[in-house]
Amino acid sequence: MAHRWTNKLTHADVTPRAAFLNRRQVMAGLAGVGLAGLARPAAAEALEPNTWEEITSYNNYYEFGTRKDDPAKYAHTLVTEPWSVTIDGLVDRPGEYDFNDIMSEMTVEERIYRFRCVEAWSMVIPWNGFELADLLGMAGVQDGAKYVAFETAYRPDEMPGVAYPVLDWPYREGLRLDEAMHPLTIMATGIYGRDIPNQNGAPLRLVVPWKYGFKSIKSIVRLTLTDTQPPTSWNMAGPREYGFYSNVNPNVDHPRWSQASERQIGGGLFAKRIPTLMFNGYENEVASLYEGMDLAKNY
């Protein structure tokens, strides 16, 4: 199954690949675009485009260092071929799945998504990937499963950052099963039609566009279906600051900064911050998942 979601953003909302590479064009201003039911601004403010260097060198991937440019400097040491993903827990067909075998069964689509970091910066990225629901279907989800736990590769010989106790390695994340099965939730394998770079999470990363970026775990080696809420790295490190759900919510500030607005990478030195959209602009698609929940407590 695929094509369950219709993209509202187009290449007019990001830098077309040719422009992205040669830096000769600008992309349309993004404030307020793409949310179902809202009109595109009549005169969108033009922004400087993200260059390839920006989108692949401004990263958080602490396994390679805590500076934004560390992943681009050091992630070349990560060996991504061969690669396999263990799928276990409450599934009918547990086992170690070869990456190439997975890809032979998947329908890869382009998904142009907003990306909002909890640090209050943002991008718009054209991912290539497949819906996580299809991978879970490959393994066969059992009736008792309620959550999906994810785990990043832990390779001290290839990841210099894990020598420091920034987090409790390996990096872990989790989703409720209905979040994981939602058509917006994808496993990304590329950006702009190219294989995803190591620093962006090669060869396989999660992308959940209505949540803060740290939920989109990189370089995945394990998925575990479980009936209990799994521990997640940032929630373990700072439960007061990072919740399990971590939905983008402009009405709930981080304890140390506002989440009401964001800085667009590539917007230029004097670019104004733009308002952050509820659920990062995907409210119509995902708000029903949280009906009755106190979002101020479950952000």
Side-chain angles (χ1 to χ4, degrees):
M1 300 263 319
H3 306 294
R4 286 181 285 243
W5 178 74
T6 300
N7 197 7
K8 302 298 183 183
L9 294 175
T10 71
H11 276 286
D13 300 302
V14 296
T15 308
R17 182 178 175 185
F20 180 71
L21 295 175
N22 65 28
R23 310 186 189 189
R24 285 200 299 264
Q25 296 182 11
V26 296
M27 63 182 179
L30 303 172
V33 306
L35 180 60
L38 293 185
R40 183 185 300 269
E45 180 184 359
L47 301 175
E48 291 297 323
N50 288 90
T51 65
W52 179 258
E53 289 77 13
E54 287 170 339
I55 203 169
T56 60
S57 65
Y58 195 88
N59 309 102
N60 287 325
Y61 198 165
Y62 285 2
E63 286 86 341
F64 297 100
T66 57
R67 292 170 57 93
K68 292 292 187 289
D69 58 351
D70 281 345
K73 289 180 181 177
Y74 304 119
H76 66 277
T77 57
L78 179 65
V79 177
T80 61
E81 189 175 349
W83 194 271
S84 62
V85 179
T86 297
I87 306 178
D88 57 13
L90 298 175
V91 294
D92 297 327
R93 293 173 289 279
E96 187 173 315
Y97 288 75
D98 180 79
F99 176 71
N100 292 324
D101 291 341
I102 291 172
M103 294 305 296
S104 70
E105 299 293 326
M106 297 295 132
T107 299
V108 174
E109 304 176 41
E110 182 179 71
R111 297 289 184 89
I112 303 173
Y113 284 161
R114 298 178 189 85
F115 183 89
R116 172 59 154 82
C117 182
V118 74
E119 298 168 343
W121 56 265
S122 65
M123 296 183 183
V124 169
I125 301 174
W127 303 101
N128 302 99
F130 56 86
E131 293 184 18
L132 174 57
D134 291 338
L135 179 58
L136 296 179
M138 198 173 172
V141 179
Q142 295 182 356
D143 289 341
K146 297 180 181 178
Y147 296 89
V148 185
F150 304 83
E151 190 173 300
T152 292
Y154 173 68
R155 300 180 182 176
D157 291 342
E158 301 172 21
M159 295 174 157
V162 302
Y164 305 95
V166 179
L167 294 169
D168 183 10
W169 312 112
Y171 194 90
R172 283 160 280 185
E173 257 307 333
L175 295 175
R176 224 169 52 191
L177 184 60
D178 56 350
E179 297 175 318
M181 298 293 285
H182 194 280
L184 287 178
T185 304
I186 65 169
M187 299 290 269
T189 59
I191 299 172
Y192 278 103
R194 298 180 172 189
D195 289 342
I196 194 167
N198 283 12
Q199 59 265 35
N200 291 91
L204 191 66
R205 69 170 287 169
L206 179 70
V207 176
V208 193
W210 70 93
K211 294 181 178 287
Y212 291 117
F214 67 85
K215 295 292 290 185
S216 294
I217 184 172
K218 301 178 178 72
S219 305
I220 296 170
V221 295
R222 182 181 295 273
L223 286 77
T224 301
L225 279 291
T226 176
D227 59 358
T228 57
Q229 182 174 301
T232 61
S233 289
W234 280 107
N235 182 241
M236 290 187 293
R240 179 174 169 269
E241 299 189 1
Y242 306 102
F244 174 81
Y245 286 94
S246 293
N247 294 317
V248 175
N249 188 340
N251 303 311
V252 178
D253 292 336
H254 186 280
R256 290 181 281 135
W257 56 79
S258 170
Q259 295 288 21
S261 65
E262 61 204 58
R263 175 177 59 92
Q264 284 189 309
I265 300 301
L269 182 62
F270 301 106
K272 294 181 179 179
R273 297 174 68 89
I274 65 171
T276 291
L277 301 174
M278 186 66 188
F279 293 111
N280 203 26
Y282 301 98
E283 185 172 7
N284 286 0
E285 291 89 346
V286 303
S288 62
L289 297 176
Y290 310 102
E291 188 173 356
M293 291 178 60
D294 184 348
L295 298 180
K297 294 181 179 180
N298 294 286
Y299 93 106

